[in-house]
Amino acid sequence: MVSALAPATRRRLSPEERQRRLLELGLELFGEAAYDQISTDEIAERGGVSRGLLFHYFGNKRGFYVAVIREAADRLLERSKAAGQADVGTAEDPERAQLDVFLRFVEDNAGLFTVLMQGGVGVDAEVKSLVDQTRQVLARRVAPRLDAESLTGSGPDLGERFALTAWIGAVEAAAVEWADHRRRGLPTLERRELAGLLLGMVPTSIRSPTKV
């Protein structure tokens, strides 16, 4: 695989451009393997920089990883917002339309989505916070007519919070596996079929009387 930093020219890169390309490399690397499986030396070698320069930009390996997760989160939120605004506005069934948009977005950005979801595994408080914040925003976009505020703990019923958390986790897991099957050409559901299945899994306890 050609690295995201493979030189196409000999011109000297600015610090900002080099950092941007290092983040592109990080998205590639952490999409292929877990944090502990990638060494600082590999990052520096594939990035065409010294360990010292990598540390100058990001502090250490953890700092680089946090920056990559933040970049993944920013891109996911930006792209999902754009997709939702384009396709959901006048839909007869906004909830189903949101799920369809979300799944199409995951299909088109499977690497980013996987990097972000994998980033939530572990004990790093900063990474966990980034993933949780992104998950809350995505939850509101995927299911805007559900009691998504329960996910933040501000809802009146703790049971609703756990029910919504469990449902969002199921959506994420199904979306990642579905995108992987499509990428590898394995049998899977059509996007709208999966959206319907996931809507059918919404716990009754987190729907208000006025929500369908």
PDB file of all heavy atoms in Angstrom, residues 53-65:
ATOM      1  N   LEU A  53      10.805  14.798  15.179  1.00  0.00           N
ATOM      2  CA  LEU A  53       9.861  15.716  14.556  1.00  0.00           C
ATOM      3  C   LEU A  53       8.425  15.288  14.868  1.00  0.00           C
ATOM      4  O   LEU A  53       7.550  16.136  15.113  1.00  0.00           O
ATOM      5  CB  LEU A  53      10.081  15.760  13.046  1.00  0.00           C
ATOM      6  CG  LEU A  53       9.243  16.798  12.284  1.00  0.00           C
ATOM      7  CD1 LEU A  53       9.497  18.203  12.822  1.00  0.00           C
ATOM      8  CD2 LEU A  53       9.541  16.728  10.785  1.00  0.00           C
ATOM      9  N   LEU A  54       8.186  13.981  14.868  1.00  0.00           N
ATOM     10  CA  LEU A  54       6.854  13.491  15.219  1.00  0.00           C
ATOM     11  C   LEU A  54       6.491  13.940  16.634  1.00  0.00           C
ATOM     12  O   LEU A  54       5.375  14.417  16.883  1.00  0.00           O
ATOM     13  CB  LEU A  54       6.822  11.957  15.138  1.00  0.00           C
ATOM     14  CG  LEU A  54       5.471  11.293  15.432  1.00  0.00           C
ATOM     15  CD1 LEU A  54       4.459  11.607  14.334  1.00  0.00           C
ATOM     16  CD2 LEU A  54       5.641   9.775  15.570  1.00  0.00           C
ATOM     17  N   PHE A  55       7.437  13.819  17.562  1.00  0.00           N
ATOM     18  CA  PHE A  55       7.193  14.233  18.938  1.00  0.00           C
ATOM     19  C   PHE A  55       7.053  15.749  19.044  1.00  0.00           C
ATOM     20  O   PHE A  55       6.315  16.261  19.884  1.00  0.00           O
ATOM     21  CB  PHE A  55       8.312  13.744  19.843  1.00  0.00           C
ATOM     22  CG  PHE A  55       8.325  12.246  20.053  1.00  0.00           C
ATOM     23  CD1 PHE A  55       9.424  11.631  20.614  1.00  0.00           C
ATOM     24  CD2 PHE A  55       7.247  11.465  19.674  1.00  0.00           C
ATOM     25  CE1 PHE A  55       9.443  10.262  20.808  1.00  0.00           C
ATOM     26  CE2 PHE A  55       7.257  10.093  19.857  1.00  0.00           C
ATOM     27  CZ  PHE A  55       8.353   9.482  20.427  1.00  0.00           C
ATOM     28  N   HIS A  56       7.776  16.469  18.189  1.00  0.00           N
ATOM     29  CA  HIS A  56       7.669  17.926  18.189  1.00  0.00           C
ATOM     30  C   HIS A  56       6.247  18.354  17.829  1.00  0.00           C
ATOM     31  O   HIS A  56       5.696  19.293  18.429  1.00  0.00           O
ATOM     32  CB  HIS A  56       8.660  18.529  17.194  1.00  0.00           C
ATOM     33  CG  HIS A  56       8.503  19.998  16.996  1.00  0.00           C
ATOM     34  ND1 HIS A  56       8.839  20.933  17.956  1.00  0.00           N
ATOM     35  CD2 HIS A  56       8.023  20.716  15.933  1.00  0.00           C
ATOM     36  CE1 HIS A  56       8.585  22.154  17.505  1.00  0.00           C
ATOM     37  NE2 HIS A  56       8.095  22.046  16.277  1.00  0.00           N
ATOM     38  N   TYR A  57       5.654  17.674  16.856  1.00  0.00           N
ATOM     39  CA  TYR A  57       4.310  18.011  16.416  1.00  0.00           C
ATOM     40  C   TYR A  57       3.235  17.550  17.402  1.00  0.00           C
ATOM     41  O   TYR A  57       2.256  18.262  17.641  1.00  0.00           O
ATOM     42  CB  TYR A  57       4.021  17.384  15.052  1.00  0.00           C
ATOM     43  CG  TYR A  57       4.743  18.031  13.891  1.00  0.00           C
ATOM     44  CD1 TYR A  57       5.169  17.264  12.805  1.00  0.00           C
ATOM     45  CD2 TYR A  57       4.984  19.398  13.855  1.00  0.00           C
ATOM     46  CE1 TYR A  57       5.815  17.842  11.723  1.00  0.00           C
ATOM     47  CE2 TYR A  57       5.640  19.993  12.786  1.00  0.00           C
ATOM     48  CZ  TYR A  57       6.055  19.205  11.720  1.00  0.00           C
ATOM     49  OH  TYR A  57       6.702  19.793  10.656  1.00  0.00           O
ATOM     50  N   PHE A  58       3.403  16.343  17.950  1.00  0.00           N
ATOM     51  CA  PHE A  58       2.313  15.712  18.694  1.00  0.00           C
ATOM     52  C   PHE A  58       2.651  15.349  20.141  1.00  0.00           C
ATOM     53  O   PHE A  58       1.779  14.846  20.851  1.00  0.00           O
ATOM     54  CB  PHE A  58       1.830  14.461  17.956  1.00  0.00           C
ATOM     55  CG  PHE A  58       1.340  14.748  16.566  1.00  0.00           C
ATOM     56  CD1 PHE A  58       2.138  14.451  15.466  1.00  0.00           C
ATOM     57  CD2 PHE A  58       0.101  15.342  16.344  1.00  0.00           C
ATOM     58  CE1 PHE A  58       1.697  14.719  14.172  1.00  0.00           C
ATOM     59  CE2 PHE A  58      -0.348  15.610  15.058  1.00  0.00           C
ATOM     60  CZ  PHE A  58       0.453  15.302  13.967  1.00  0.00           C
ATOM     61  N   GLY A  59       3.877  15.573  20.582  1.00  0.00           N
ATOM     62  CA  GLY A  59       4.258  15.283  21.956  1.00  0.00           C
ATOM     63  C   GLY A  59       4.776  13.877  22.153  1.00  0.00           C
ATOM     64  O   GLY A  59       5.885  13.668  22.649  1.00  0.00           O
ATOM     65  N   ASN A  60       4.004  12.890  21.763  1.00  0.00           N
ATOM     66  CA  ASN A  60       4.378  11.481  21.869  1.00  0.00           C
ATOM     67  C   ASN A  60       3.397  10.662  21.023  1.00  0.00           C
ATOM     68  O   ASN A  60       2.521  11.223  20.346  1.00  0.00           O
ATOM     69  CB  ASN A  60       4.384  11.020  23.334  1.00  0.00           C
ATOM     70  CG  ASN A  60       3.095  11.377  24.064  1.00  0.00           C
ATOM     71  OD1 ASN A  60       2.018  11.431  23.464  1.00  0.00           O
ATOM     72  ND2 ASN A  60       3.199  11.644  25.369  1.00  0.00           N
ATOM     73  N   LYS A  61       3.525   9.340  21.096  1.00  0.00           N
ATOM     74  CA  LYS A  61       2.652   8.481  20.299  1.00  0.00           C
ATOM     75  C   LYS A  61       1.188   8.663  20.695  1.00  0.00           C
ATOM     76  O   LYS A  61       0.302   8.738  19.836  1.00  0.00           O
ATOM     77  CB  LYS A  61       3.064   7.015  20.466  1.00  0.00           C
ATOM     78  CG  LYS A  61       2.169   6.031  19.717  1.00  0.00           C
ATOM     79  CD  LYS A  61       2.557   4.599  20.042  1.00  0.00           C
ATOM     80  CE  LYS A  61       1.548   3.615  19.477  1.00  0.00           C
ATOM     81  NZ  LYS A  61       1.852   2.219  19.853  1.00  0.00           N
ATOM     82  N   ARG A  62       0.932   8.755  21.994  1.00  0.00           N
ATOM     83  CA  ARG A  62      -0.442   8.944  22.453  1.00  0.00           C
ATOM     84  C   ARG A  62      -1.008  10.259  21.914  1.00  0.00           C
ATOM     85  O   ARG A  62      -2.165  10.331  21.480  1.00  0.00           O
ATOM     86  CB  ARG A  62      -0.508   8.939  23.969  1.00  0.00           C
ATOM     87  CG  ARG A  62      -1.909   9.230  24.500  1.00  0.00           C
ATOM     88  CD  ARG A  62      -1.911   9.565  25.987  1.00  0.00           C
ATOM     89  NE  ARG A  62      -3.219  10.071  26.377  1.00  0.00           N
ATOM     90  CZ  ARG A  62      -3.621  11.336  26.218  1.00  0.00           C
ATOM     91  NH1 ARG A  62      -2.784  12.220  25.677  1.00  0.00           N
ATOM     92  NH2 ARG A  62      -4.831  11.714  26.600  1.00  0.00           N
ATOM     93  N   GLY A  63      -0.191  11.325  21.947  1.00  0.00           N
ATOM     94  CA  GLY A  63      -0.649  12.608  21.435  1.00  0.00           C
ATOM     95  C   GLY A  63      -1.011  12.529  19.963  1.00  0.00           C
ATOM     96  O   GLY A  63      -1.988  13.157  19.516  1.00  0.00           O
ATOM     97  N   PHE A  64      -0.233  11.769  19.212  1.00  0.00           N
ATOM     98  CA  PHE A  64      -0.522  11.567  17.793  1.00  0.00           C
ATOM     99  C   PHE A  64      -1.843  10.823  17.629  1.00  0.00           C
ATOM    100  O   PHE A  64      -2.698  11.205  16.808  1.00  0.00           O
ATOM    101  CB  PHE A  64       0.614  10.777  17.140  1.00  0.00           C
ATOM    102  CG  PHE A  64       0.383  10.434  15.693  1.00  0.00           C
ATOM    103  CD1 PHE A  64       0.255  11.423  14.735  1.00  0.00           C
ATOM    104  CD2 PHE A  64       0.302   9.108  15.296  1.00  0.00           C
ATOM    105  CE1 PHE A  64       0.045  11.106  13.394  1.00  0.00           C
ATOM    106  CE2 PHE A  64       0.098   8.770  13.963  1.00  0.00           C
ATOM    107  CZ  PHE A  64      -0.032   9.770  13.008  1.00  0.00           C
ATOM    108  N   TYR A  65      -2.044   9.794  18.430  1.00  0.00           N
ATOM    109  CA  TYR A  65      -3.263   8.998  18.356  1.00  0.00           C
ATOM    110  C   TYR A  65      -4.492   9.852  18.685  1.00  0.00           C
ATOM    111  O   TYR A  65      -5.513   9.791  17.988  1.00  0.00           O
ATOM    112  CB  TYR A  65      -3.157   7.821  19.319  1.00  0.00           C
ATOM    113  CG  TYR A  65      -4.346   6.888  19.297  1.00  0.00           C
ATOM    114  CD1 TYR A  65      -4.666   6.150  18.163  1.00  0.00           C
ATOM    115  CD2 TYR A  65      -5.151   6.730  20.426  1.00  0.00           C
ATOM    116  CE1 TYR A  65      -5.749   5.282  18.143  1.00  0.00           C
ATOM    117  CE2 TYR A  65      -6.232   5.866  20.424  1.00  0.00           C
ATOM    118  CZ  TYR A  65      -6.525   5.145  19.280  1.00  0.00           C
ATOM    119  OH  TYR A  65      -7.600   4.294  19.272  1.00  0.00           O
TER     120      TYR A  65
END
